[in-house]
Amino acid sequence: MRITNVRRGRIIRISSVCAILLLLIYALNKWSRNNIEAQPVISDYKASSYKSHPDEYPVLKTELGNFEPKDRIVVKGPGQEGKPYHMVGRDNDIADSESIYGMNIAASDDIAMNRTVPDTRLDECKYWHYPVNLPSTSVIIVFHNEGFSVLMRTVHTVIDRSPPNILHEIVLVDDYSDKENLGENLDKYIKRWNGKVRLIRNTQREGLIRTRSRGAQEATGDVIVFLDAHCEVNVNWLPPLLAPIYRDYRIMTVPVIDGIDHRTFEYRPVYQHGTNYRGIFEWGMLYKENEVPDRESNLHKHKSEPYKSPTHAGGLFAINRQYFLEIGAYDPGLLVWGGENFELSFKIWQCGGSIEWVPCSRVGHVYRAFMPYSFGNLAKNRKGSLITINYKRVIETWFDEEHKEYFYTREPTARFLDMGDITEQLALKDRLKCKEFSWFMENVAYDVYDKFPKLPKNTHWGMVKNKASGLCLDTMGKAAPAYIGTSSCHGTGHSQLFRLNEAGQLGVGERCVEADTESLKQAICRLGTVDGPWRYEEEHNQLIHRLHGYCLTLQAHARTLGLAPCDPNNTYQKWTITHQKANW
Ligand code: UDP
Ligand code: MN
């Protein structure tokens, strides 16, 4: 199991079976295109101003693909070929850059705009031939206070590595940045592209979600491609993304994302060569990636072919512009950041479209060390719960009653958050005659249940407060595997929010609490939900570990936690679990 820092915080990539076994199964089940199962039934919703070309599939040949560049110019200098750039003796510059931008802009400033990066694709990708009449494309890049050189490198690589007749324009949308070099300086810089790169600016901070919707409205190409403002597109990235959309305008496509290191700008693949992953979610709506299950990979003859995915990370994707607008773009009630990737995914799938990940389209993205911007007035000092409010809007619109409960079990404070009005969203769902969430789970996101079983109900949740010390259990902001400690009870955020469920699991965030005589720690929840070790003894307020028959104890002097023989008179073993604040 590998953990990588990716959009939406930490993502676990879940490797299912061992690779050899997979290969074997893959070889045994080589299906051709003709065997593809019937596609999901399309709703009778029709878009107006474009058509699909259902017979126009890309073709794999022995000669080099029709959009492959003939030659490759290597630019010498720091970061060439995507190698790490280690700045020597400039610790202050690095620290300054990272604290302002969440990435080392000083390093980026030294690296060529048109540096080459390693071709991370499968070799096979070079031999696909794509339809020649691919739709005209607007690349939309929204930004708020991004580093100038990183933003411009994104633009340069798109210009350099996209077929000029297909790339209609690049639309930069400034989400009310206040950095000086993103003002006139930027207007001046983009003049070199003679209007092909346009810049529009918000007159107030809108957040990335509304800013992307605005970009879609302003764009004039047939297809829009969204990129974050800190990307480098790889060789021949665009045609493979457009081909599925050209064939069927209801397909949204997603490039496979490579990682660019936020300190050294090293460009490297996130996934092991030749393995395909797809986007799923857990019940707290954290974005996850899972190795493509056999049920999907068996439908494809080649590993380089696009495959279906329940969702996507959010930042980078392509979609027919008209289609995007007709399905309502993003829910305008979603604020700043978070949940919009799910909203769009559920909407597309449930309302007749589909999402495909495209292994031959690779785009590098800088994963920042932390989120450097505030949420401004939009969040009214509620940065944390704002993302949960977004999730609540999305699940209240698209989930059914059963699945909503899993979300509220995993995020119990969400039940009390004010999500605003979703009447419009429900009306849209009705108008587009969208399918039930259970259809989506059974036919598309079927691998979610394997990785994240249905959750048993909570019997208790909230702050776990020790009677003797008055302190509360606290993850101290650490991610698993990590020890759990105690701190003064504040009842905000997720660090003191624990949940005990009917199956005896004590959960915190997406993790489960495990204990021995020396420690209490968060660990990855074991699959299956019947083996939780915990029981709350109401009479003596004890948290009993059933396997050991011991009680959770705060060792008074060392201030450490662990299991000890139960003693009904020991107040260091007495815990109350009380609900905490919802808004923070
Ligand atoms: N962004 C924006 N307005 C905001 C926050 C972010 O326009 O209020 C832009 C940001 O500059 C970036 C994109 O939205 O180009 C995605 O944000 P970010 O990269 O921070 O998200 P992450 O990749 O960390 O999920
Ligand atoms: Mn980003």
Side-chain angles (χ1 to χ4, degrees), residues 288-408:
K288 300 286 172 183
E289 290 185 355
N290 184 28
E291 207 166 332
V292 175
D294 295 348
R295 182 167 157 190
E296 174 60 30
S297 62
N298 286 344
L299 301 174
H300 306 283
K301 197 168 165 195
H302 305 283
K303 277 209 151 171
S304 55
E305 278 174 43
Y307 52 85
K308 305 259 189 284
S309 175
T311 186
H312 67 126
L316 287 53
F317 62 93
I319 191 167
N320 181 292
R321 173 175 172 272
Q322 200 64 34
Y323 176 59
F324 180 68
L325 295 175
E326 288 182 14
I327 59 173
Y330 288 120
D331 166 8
L334 296 174
L335 293 180
V336 191
W337 185 102
E340 88 290 352
N341 55 328
F342 298 126
E343 195 248 345
L344 186 59
S345 304
F346 300 151
K347 182 155 65 184
I348 287 176
W349 274 113
Q350 288 175 245
C351 312
S354 61
I355 300 175
E356 294 189 1
W357 283 30
V358 184
C360 289
S361 177
R362 311 284 293 228
V363 177
H365 169 260
V366 181
Y367 294 110
R368 306 182 209 249
F370 66 99
M371 198 182 254
Y373 45 83
S374 83
F375 281 20
N377 292 336
L378 291 163
K380 298 189 196 78
N381 302 324
R382 297 195 321 177
K383 188 167 173 174
S385 58
L386 187 115
I387 295 170
T388 314
I389 291 170
N390 283 355
Y391 293 159
K392 179 170 179 174
R393 280 186 77 84
V394 174
I395 71 111
E396 282 293 340
T397 306
W398 298 100
F399 278 25
D400 54 21
E401 294 310 314
E402 178 197 347
H403 295 90
K404 280 180 200 173
E405 278 310 306
Y406 303 142
F407 172 70
Y408 289 123

Side-chain angles (χ1 to χ4, degrees), residues 55-73:
D55 302 322
E56 299 242 20
Y57 277 89
V59 186
L60 187 60
K61 299 184 183 172
T62 47
E63 76 247 35
L64 206 62
N66 55 344
F67 283 99
E68 282 298 307
K70 300 287 172 297
D71 37 38
R72 188 163 186 270
I73 304 149

Side-chain angles (χ1 to χ4, degrees), residues 7 103 146 208 212 227-231 315-316 337 365-368 373:
R7 177 152 207 238
M103 63 180 89
E146 294 277 350
L208 84 91
R212 278 203 204 124
L227 296 179
D228 274 10
H230 32 258
C231 290
L316 287 53
W337 185 102
H365 169 260
V366 181
Y367 294 110
R368 306 182 209 249
Y373 45 83

Side-chain angles (χ1 to χ4, degrees), residues 501-539:
N501 72 25
E502 283 171 347
Q505 285 177 320
L506 185 61
V508 55
E510 59 173 321
R511 301 298 176 214
C512 285
V513 178
E514 289 183 2
D516 54 33
T517 51
E518 257 110 63
S519 67
L520 190 72
K521 51 186 180 242
Q522 328 174 39
I524 289 166
C525 296
R526 270 171 281 175
L527 290 182
T529 48
V530 288
D531 61 345
W534 299 98
R535 185 167 65 82
Y536 187 67
E537 171 62 66
E538 302 276 354
E539 195 188 338

Side-chain angles (χ1 to χ4, degrees), residues 117-338:
V117 289
D119 182 349
T120 47
R121 300 171 299 171
L122 286 169
D123 200 51
E124 207 169 73
C125 292
K126 295 180 192 142
Y127 301 94
W128 282 102
H129 291 246
Y130 297 99
V132 283
N133 294 322
L134 291 173
S136 71
T137 300
S138 299
V139 172
I140 300 170
I141 301 168
V142 308
F143 65 95
H144 174 75
N145 284 342
E146 294 277 350
F148 183 84
S149 59
V150 173
L151 173 63
M152 284 303 101
R153 190 173 298 102
T154 311
V155 175
H156 274 276
T157 60
V158 170
I159 297 272
D160 290 353
R161 295 180 189 142
S162 312
N165 56 328
I166 296 175
L167 181 66
H168 174 64
E169 61 181 348
I170 299 177
V171 182
L172 300 174
V173 195
D174 175 8
D175 186 16
Y176 208 56
S177 302
D178 52 21
K179 295 253 185 298
E180 207 187 322
N181 65 355
L182 295 173
E184 274 174 33
N185 190 31
L186 182 57
D187 292 298
K188 228 160 90 194
Y189 191 97
I190 62 170
K191 286 213 169 88
R192 71 188 61 204
W193 288 301
N194 301 321
K196 190 137 183 165
V197 181
R198 290 201 281 140
L199 173 61
I200 52 183
R201 300 190 195 262
N202 289 345
T203 50
Q204 59 177 34
R205 179 81 181 280
E206 299 283 1
L208 84 91
I209 302 172
R210 288 184 187 164
T211 307
R212 278 203 204 124
S213 292
R214 173 165 185 218
Q217 266 146 16
E218 303 262 355
T220 51
D222 288 338
V223 167
I224 47 181
V225 179
F226 291 102
L227 296 179
D228 274 10
H230 32 258
C231 290
E232 287 172 71
V233 299
N234 210 317
V235 58
N236 200 6
W237 71 293
L238 189 56
L241 276 187
L242 299 179
I245 304 174
Y246 178 64
R247 199 178 73 242
D248 178 349
Y249 67 84
R250 289 157 309 206
I251 299 176
M252 166 184 144
T253 55
V254 184
V256 170
I257 306 179
D258 290 323
I260 302 173
D261 188 87
H262 63 81
R263 181 159 298 166
T264 64
F265 280 75
E266 180 185 8
Y267 186 110
R268 54 164 188 258
V270 173
Y271 311 91
Q272 207 189 329
H273 195 67
T275 52
N276 286 334
Y277 280 78
R278 63 183 205 160
I280 57 170
F281 50 89
E282 55 86 54
W283 298 115
M285 302 319 288
L286 295 178
Y287 173 73
K288 300 286 172 183
E289 290 185 355
N290 184 28
E291 207 166 332
V292 175
D294 295 348
R295 182 167 157 190
E296 174 60 30
S297 62
N298 286 344
L299 301 174
H300 306 283
K301 197 168 165 195
H302 305 283
K303 277 209 151 171
S304 55
E305 278 174 43
Y307 52 85
K308 305 259 189 284
S309 175
T311 186
H312 67 126
L316 287 53
F317 62 93
I319 191 167
N320 181 292
R321 173 175 172 272
Q322 200 64 34
Y323 176 59
F324 180 68
L325 295 175
E326 288 182 14
I327 59 173
Y330 288 120
D331 166 8
L334 296 174
L335 293 180
V336 191
W337 185 102

